[in-house]
Amino acid sequence: MANNLDAMRKIPPGIWLIRKIRGKDCSLKTHRYMVLLVTFIAYTSYHASRKPSSIVKSALDPEPNKTTNVHPWPIGSVFVKDEFLGENKDKFGYKGWEPFNGKDGTEKLGLIDVAFLACYSLGMFGAGHLGDTLDLRLFLTSGMIGSGIFVGLFGMGYFWNIHVFGFYLVMQMVAGLFQATGWPSVVAVIGNWFGKRKRGLIMGIWNAHTSVGNIIGSLIAASVLEYGWGWSFIAPGTFIAIAGILVFLFLAAYPEDIGFPCPNGPAARAEAVPRDVEAQTQNEGTVEEGKSTPIRDRSGARRSVGLLEACLIPGVIPFAFCLFFSKLVAYTFLYWLPFYLSQTDLRVQVFLTAEIGGEYMSVKSAGNLSTLFDVGGIVGGILAGHISDKLRARAITAASFMYAAIPSMLLYRLYGNLSRTVNIVLMMIAGLFINGPYALITTAVSADLGTHSSLRGDSRALATVTAIIDGTGSIGAALGPLLTGFLSTKGWDTVFVMLMLGALIAGLLLSRQVVVEINEKACKSMRSSSGQQSSEGNAMN
């Protein structure tokens, strides 16, 4: 009786209701699709709630005396450049918002970013261990609703007419702590449901939620900006809170909790054929209510792994420090690209004349245009995952992308102001190479290491390993925007030099793993060739 009550407690209410209505459970394949969809929506909402601060920067600290003309290109009014901006006013009539519109406004905006990201990165280490200890569904739900509340409270500062810097700093810090619950939890859930085969491609496609969230967050924040910058925070905050309710209703964090075996459990590892996505879905059927398979290795019976033990897993530390510099680059673009675009003089060739004139974009236009960086990031994440699966070489793929990001950023800085077309193309290429390794390390690499063969028995390390890697990376994510806030006052060339150095160091940190992977491939090639020669010799005899 107690076991039945425990099983009912673990089954999400939405799935329990679907079982009652249908009279039987869905197939394993259907549950996997549901897990992918729910976690995709969940982390999309996380990233959407992080974008408002980048969109409203130019409203809080507007640049004076900029003149713009209307050129609805390339898709109507989405990237439109707006009318004359009077002294210290943007297109919506903002004169800035105290305390961000003073001489030190840019630095304060940078401090707001670093406050959020510092608390996010520090909270990540504790959140990972809690994720492996507590019920992931409830833990994730609490984090999402808490994030929505404090993101919304930041925006309420507009309606409450608050001009105290400490208020905005505290709101961002608490929001960062709640946001730390997200990434370790969703990666752990995906790792619980999917085996290692084609994990890079599956998680590369799934990781598009990062860029989709950035795009949705940018569009939502920009679309309501004209009604007051506070709405740019309240709307995404409401979105993540609603998504948190969806997680509570429909997310099954562990296959065992609804009657399916874990693909990474000891029984699965003992089999000759791995229980991965393809092997399990070929012969799957439906599990009827009342006839479900015994629940083995339930989530509550597993032992969580400590931080030190997780750090000793081979490859965790090098990938963690690589992600430090990778996220430094990626999050600098995330938080400062709209601001950079609004300050950049984009030159366009006037049709049928040789005249070239300088034009500036509005806050809304810059926010919308910056989403194309994330479009390139979606392609980069999928491409990096697919290549790493084919090559069976995560480190080689990640390092190669980081090295390629260096010339792509240099070209974007040198030639991005020639025209909008050139800017868009180079921005998307930079997004592809910058976000590719970032996506690969935070998804497939983290899941691989979290189910490493060195782990004993039923020990759980998915959320803990993910937290160590992404938490270390998030320290870099906090440092990048902070440095940009100060370096941008000396010129954007200085900022781009910092970003290119970061990408170079990120690639170099994986050198040892790259050498190991190359040696492994060389040994396999030698063994296969010697085996072929031996078989040919036996055939001749």
Side-chain angles (χ1 to χ4, degrees):
M1 182 67 178
N3 289 336
N4 290 335
L5 290 175
D6 183 59
M8 290 297 294
R9 182 178 62 83
K10 292 291 184 181
I11 297 174
I15 295 178
W16 179 82
L17 181 61
I18 292 173
R19 279 185 176 182
K20 281 292 185 183
I21 295 173
R22 298 181 74 244
K24 60 180 181 179
D25 193 12
C26 300
S27 66
L28 177 61
K29 188 174 183 179
T30 301
H31 277 296
R32 281 204 175 102
Y33 285 141
M34 185 180 296
V35 166
L36 285 173
L37 177 62
V38 173
T39 52
F40 187 95
I41 294 172
Y43 214 70
T44 293
S45 68
Y46 270 100
H47 262 263
S49 67
R50 297 175 193 172
K51 280 298 290 184
S53 63
S54 68
I55 300 300
V56 303
K57 273 187 172 73
S58 294
L60 298 175
D61 182 24
E63 282 287 307
N65 301 323
K66 286 186 177 179
T67 305
T68 61
N69 300 314
V70 176
H71 291 278
W73 185 94
I75 51 175
S77 62
V78 174
F79 297 145
V80 65
K81 288 178 292 182
D82 258 293
E83 62 275 6
F84 171 75
L85 310 181
E87 184 175 359
N88 287 326
K89 292 184 180 181
D90 71 357
K91 64 165 285 187
F92 305 119
Y94 290 133
K95 297 180 179 180
W97 189 265
E98 189 182 350
F100 301 108
N101 60 349
K103 292 183 178 179
D104 60 345
T106 303
E107 287 81 1
K108 284 183 176 179
L109 289 171
L111 288 174
I112 287 289
D113 291 340
V114 79
F116 171 87
L117 291 168
C119 290
Y120 173 79
S121 59
L122 293 175
M124 184 79 69
F125 295 100
H129 184 67
L130 288 174
D132 279 332
T133 306
L134 305 176
D135 187 313
L136 277 173
R137 177 173 62 92
L138 300 180
F139 184 61
L140 188 57
T141 299
S142 302
M144 294 175 73
I145 293 176
S147 295
I149 291 172
F150 283 94
V151 169
L153 285 175
F154 188 100
M156 289 303 297
Y158 171 81
F159 299 99
W160 293 339
N161 200 31
I162 296 176
H163 298 278
V164 179
F165 177 68
F167 170 81
Y168 300 102
L169 191 67
V170 170
M171 291 303 103
Q172 284 290 74
M173 290 172 70
V174 179
L177 289 175
F178 277 105
Q179 289 264 323
T181 61
W183 191 242
S185 300
V186 294
V187 172
V189 170
I190 295 298
N192 289 334
W193 277 91
F194 293 91
K196 292 186 176 181
R197 190 179 178 189
K198 291 190 176 179
R199 181 179 275 169
L201 177 60
I202 292 171
M203 299 189 86
I205 296 172
W206 171 77
N207 191 64
H209 54 54
T210 299
S211 297
V212 171
N214 291 340
I215 293 169
I216 291 177
S218 297
L219 295 177
I220 291 176
S223 66
V224 297
L225 186 59
E226 60 186 297
Y227 304 109
W229 65 259
W231 286 111
S232 295
F233 287 87
I234 293 173
T238 303
F239 176 37
I240 190 173
I242 294 173
I245 297 173
L246 180 70
V247 166
F248 175 77
L249 293 175
F250 294 103
L251 181 63
Y254 307 93
E256 313 95 290
D257 290 342
I258 53 175
F260 293 101
C262 177
N264 299 310
R269 287 194 292 263
E271 294 181 357
V273 181
R275 283 181 174 268
D276 55 15
V277 180
E278 293 76 11
Q280 289 188 31
T281 55
Q282 284 177 356
N283 300 313
E284 65 183 349
T286 59
V287 181
E288 298 185 5
E289 180 100 358
K291 295 183 180 180
S292 60
T293 56
I295 299 176
R296 298 174 294 175
D297 303 326
R298 293 194 60 81
S299 57
R302 294 179 172 183
R303 182 184 68 85
S304 60
V305 168
L307 287 174
L308 181 59
E309 188 177 352
C311 287
L312 296 178
I313 297 173
V316 168
I317 296 301
F319 276 107
F321 281 104
C322 172
L323 190 63
F324 175 96
F325 289 97
S326 178
K327 288 191 77 168
L328 182 150
V329 177
Y331 268 67
T332 298
F333 275 89
L334 173 68
Y335 278 94
W336 284 96
L337 183 57
F339 187 81
Y340 171 73
L341 288 170
S342 68
Q343 312 303 314
T344 300
D345 181 10
L346 293 183
R347 301 188 176 278
V348 296
Q349 183 74 40
V350 180
F351 186 58
L352 294 180
T353 72
E355 181 182 355
I356 297 178
E359 298 181 344
Y360 290 92
M361 288 183 291
S362 68
V363 177
K364 180 177 180 179
S365 176
N368 290 332
L369 188 64
S370 69
T371 61
L372 296 176
F373 177 84
D374 293 296
V375 173
I378 293 174
V379 178
I382 296 172
L383 190 61
H386 180 64
I387 292 174
S388 69
D389 279 341
K390 289 291 186 182
L391 297 178
R392 296 183 181 274
R394 309 286 198 212
I396 293 174
T397 304
S400 299
F401 270 66
M402 289 312 307
Y403 292 139
I406 298 172
S408 70
M409 286 188 286
L410 179 61
L411 291 173
Y412 180 66
R413 175 55 184 163
L414 292 177
Y415 302 107
N417 65 339
L418 292 180
S419 71
R420 289 202 181 188
T421 303
V422 174
N423 189 284
I424 287 172
V425 171
L426 294 178
M427 184 196 305
M428 293 178 70
I429 293 173
L432 185 152
F433 289 116
I434 291 170
N435 283 354
Y438 162 36
L440 180 65
I441 295 171
T442 54
T443 55
V445 171
S446 296
D448 288 348
L449 296 175
T451 55
H452 196 269
S453 58
S454 63
L455 294 170
R456 299 191 302 272
D458 291 337
S459 58
R460 289 190 295 173
L462 271 167
T464 304
V465 168
T466 302
I468 292 171
I469 293 176
D470 200 51
T472 304
S474 296
I475 297 174
L479 182 62
L482 175 65
L483 291 175
T484 301
F486 292 99
L487 293 178
S488 61
T489 60
K490 303 180 182 298
W492 286 102
D493 287 339
T494 308
V495 174
F496 274 83
V497 169
M498 176 194 74
L499 296 177
M500 288 185 285
L501 283 175
L504 175 63
I505 296 171
L508 292 175
L509 284 168
L510 291 182
S511 297
R512 183 175 180 180
Q513 278 61 42
V514 169
V515 171
V516 170
E517 290 180 351
I518 292 174
N519 289 337
E520 287 179 353
K521 292 186 175 301
C523 290
K524 288 181 180 179
S525 177
M526 291 176 62
R527 284 197 299 267
S528 61
S529 62
S530 62
Q532 184 177 1
Q533 291 175 0
S534 176
S535 61
E536 290 176 355
N538 292 333
M540 292 177 64
N541 292 332

